[in-house]
Amino acid sequence: MERGYCMNIVQIMMHRATLGMTIAEDVYKGDQLLVPKGTVINNEVMNILRYSSVISIAVYGEDAARQKITPDNIPIQTHSEKLRQTQEFKQFEQAFHETTETFHTRLNDIARRNEDIDLDEMFRSAEEIMSGQTNTYALMDILSNIRYFDDATYAHSLNVALLANILGRWLHYDEDQLKLLTVAGLLHDIGKVLIPVEIIQKPGRLTKEEFDIIKQHPYKGYRLLQEKNVDERIAQVALMHHEKCDGSGYPIGLHGDKINELAKLITIVDIYEAMTANRCYHEGICPFDVIRMYEDDGYQRYDPKYLVPFLQGISDTYLHNTVLLNDGTKGEVILTNKSKVSRPGLLVDGQYLDLTMRPELNIVAIL
């Protein structure tokens, strides 16, 4: 497929899908094909997608452009663009990428050259990146705007570690707990180092055989960390970070009380990071869209004692930021909503707007 044609495909959250849009990529639930590419969304297709808990779909760009939100609605300089121009961000980004390169080498040495794991050194490398930040909310904002390219597995792991550290601070963990949590985040995907790189970096959809290979990485990571005599709780995070409290995860299908507590926390930030991360050919999903996804079905799949403070913290991060709604309206977040975090109170043209009273409106971008 030609690159120019690919650029016409847009990934949208399900709640933004409308009748008449055309599906641009096959939609699967596990190995089952739900809706083939080229299908026009009608009421029957819409019900299939919603019943199957599909989070997002790919549609053709010209279909998405028919929605009220278009690039013309968004100001020339967004919050992300303004942040990325600051000296503080540029210094953080440089340190982040330098640490990622070092981390890349270190993980490969551990996994492929049988070198020992120095947990203190790993924690210090993550701690040094955070040292210049004045508060967790500023750090959260910066992490949400980091872009990474070829080293996706390594940068993702570093990002997960930093996000886990932030959540640990919101939960008032002590320094020993923060160290354990941060290192667990750094090592949670170490099993992927032992998966063929052509599968890890494959740009298109994985075959069933390739996905089965990918799903081996929790076992591979767990065995590797056990061989290194790493704290068993860290090894269990590598094994269980794809498990869900309702038993729908992998590789074992554990339920909540059987899942390591650190793994429950890492799972939440792992998924959030993967959905909101900015890659070279993929813009991350708006954080409020991800919050809404967690609110829709997350309380069964994830432990509320970690999920609730995490979602609240994300919302607090964007207090006093300008956001864009799906009808083109812009407003300032002035009040967070603890009972429905995805629907804060806004100031719009001098008037208070309570999004809980306007279910047809959603935040689609942070400006």
Side-chain angles (χ1 to χ4, degrees), residues 14 17 21-54 56-59 205:
M14 257 309 298
M21 286 184 169
T22 303
I23 301 291
E25 294 177 357
D26 291 340
V27 181
Y28 286 84
K29 182 177 183 180
D31 299 330
Q32 178 189 1
L33 176 63
L34 293 177
V35 182
K37 171 184 174 181
T39 301
V40 177
I41 299 177
N42 56 23
N43 286 321
E44 181 183 2
V45 172
M46 189 73 80
N47 289 336
I48 290 172
L49 294 171
R50 287 174 176 164
Y51 179 77
S52 302
S53 300
V54 173
S56 66
I57 57 172
V59 299
R205 181 175 178 81

Side-chain angles (χ1 to χ4, degrees), residues 249-314:
Y250 71 87
I252 306 171
L254 299 174
H255 285 77
D257 59 342
K258 301 298 183 182
I259 303 173
N260 172 280
E261 290 297 313
L262 288 179
K264 292 179 183 178
L265 190 156
I266 293 294
T267 296
I268 293 169
V269 298
D270 179 34
I271 293 172
Y272 176 82
E273 200 284 333
M275 295 186 73
T276 59
N278 292 304
R279 313 289 175 89
C280 55
Y281 295 117
H282 166 69
E283 284 293 323
I285 296 171
C286 174
F288 284 96
D289 270 336
V290 181
I291 291 173
R292 192 177 307 115
M293 178 273 291
Y294 274 124
E295 287 175 337
D296 287 345
D297 64 2
Y299 294 108
Q300 290 74 47
R301 295 183 180 183
Y302 312 102
D303 194 324
K305 69 173 174 284
Y306 303 124
L307 183 60
V308 170
F310 185 59
L311 299 186
Q312 186 64 53
I314 296 169

